Amino acid sequence: MTDSTKHQGQRRQLVKLLEEKGIKDKQVLNAIGNVPRHLFMDSVLDDYAYVDKAYPIAADQTISQPYTVAFQTELLQLKKGDRVLEIGTGSGYQTAVLLKHEGVSVYTIERQQELYKKTNLLFKKLKLSPKKMIFGDGYKGLIDKAPFEAIIVTAGASKVPKALIEQLASGGRLVIPIGDKNQIMTRYVRTGEKSFDRQTFGNFRFVPLLKNKI
Ligand code: SAH
């Protein structure tokens, strides 16, 4: 579990690249610069950890591309005191980036038991403390901890899950890739009891958000 000067140097290069690609939020760039992505990947991929690409993790899933992680996090517009719900813990890399934001509490849900167990252990080793890590179906959100100021979905959904939009606080943001083969990054902002603003932010590719396994 080491972080060498080589890794740190590669991370600085990655941060520069993300800035060139248009990421502006300093907190997000700092978080990317401070999370050792290589520790969230299989050690055989160590040389690729700071390449701006998605890579395979366990259970046929992928660790998201750093640009995508930065882009989604920027869209969440996090501030102190926000309660954040993440759907699709996966490797835990995106969770770690969220946790680098001062004063936010993070809840994260994963439906693959193998990943849930593996990442739970990794969080302990790295002393990362999400408020709660849940093994379950993210489609349902987390009703007993709702509402959330921010919800991030890290898998592609064919349409927006009703429970997630309902669990947004007033002014809360839901960032979710929507579509089947390709996804369009979409942000919903709750503007009232029954009203939402919807904005789209271009094409991405995600593994699918799956239902009904557990
Ligand atoms: N944020 C992760 C991305 C992992 S890929 C990372 O950076 O590593 C998407 C994850 O969503 C996978 O781990 C997959 O198992 C999980 N997933 C898919 N459908 C889900 C659902 N209904 N509820 C919770 N997690 C789900």
Side-chain angles (χ1 to χ4, degrees):
M1 295 276 135
T2 56
D3 189 23
S4 66
T5 48
K6 184 181 110 186
H7 287 128
Q8 289 163 20
Q10 289 174 333
R11 220 154 46 232
R12 277 196 294 276
Q13 290 304 313
L14 174 64
V15 170
K16 254 175 87 183
L17 177 72
L18 297 184
E19 269 186 293
E20 281 161 23
K21 288 188 170 182
I23 303 297
K24 292 193 178 66
D25 188 322
K26 289 280 176 257
Q27 270 209 93
V28 174
L29 292 166
N30 265 335
I32 299 280
N34 282 306
V35 176
R37 189 177 188 241
H38 61 285
L39 302 181
F40 296 81
M41 293 167 63
D42 193 300
S43 57
V44 300
L45 292 169
D46 197 74
D47 284 346
Y48 304 96
Y50 298 99
V51 176
D52 191 21
K53 284 191 178 156
Y55 285 99
I57 52 174
D60 283 334
Q61 302 302 316
T62 54
I63 178 169
S64 298
Q65 182 182 342
Y67 175 72
T68 305
V69 171
F71 192 80
Q72 284 196 277
T73 310
E74 189 167 68
L75 287 179
L76 288 174
Q77 297 175 316
L78 297 177
K79 47 187 183 339
K80 247 186 184 169
D82 280 356
R83 291 149 50 88
V84 188
L85 175 64
E86 178 191 28
I87 312 299
T89 318
S91 68
Y93 177 65
Q94 169 76 71
T95 324
V97 169
L98 294 169
L99 285 167
K100 288 284 174 200
H101 286 68
E102 209 197 319
V104 304
S105 41
V106 181
Y107 298 80
T108 183
I109 308 181
E110 172 57 54
R111 76 182 274 283
Q112 298 268 9
Q113 187 150 44
E114 182 188 353
L115 277 171
Y116 168 79
K117 283 188 179 156
K118 195 173 165 191
T119 301
N120 198 3
L121 208 68
L122 181 69
F123 285 160
K124 291 201 170 103
K125 277 191 194 147
L126 298 179
K127 299 197 169 36
L128 285 171
S129 311
K131 200 91 183 161
K132 205 168 177 198
M133 186 180 177
I134 300 110
F135 170 57
D137 181 6
Y139 260 97
K140 302 189 184 103
L142 195 60
I143 190 71
D144 55 328
K145 301 290 176 191
F148 296 94
E149 282 72 35
I151 302 179
I152 175 171
V153 181
T154 70
S158 45
K159 55 182 190 174
V160 61
K162 200 163 164 259
L164 297 187
I165 207 146
E166 284 174 358
Q167 290 176 25
L168 277 180
S170 172
R173 291 81 58 198
L174 164 64
V175 174
I176 178 167
I178 295 192
D180 292 323
K181 227 171 169 192
N182 285 297
Q183 292 82 27
I184 297 173
M185 193 61 75
T186 309
R187 179 173 63 190
Y188 291 87
V189 178
R190 185 165 217 155
T191 52
E193 177 62 28
K194 289 217 156 56
S195 56
F196 299 88
D197 260 359
R198 178 180 164 277
Q199 270 179 292
T200 55
F201 299 90
N203 282 294
F204 287 80
R205 260 196 121 128
F206 282 83
V207 294
L209 187 70
L210 298 171
K211 272 187 182 169
N212 304 332
K213 192 178 175 203
I214 310 150

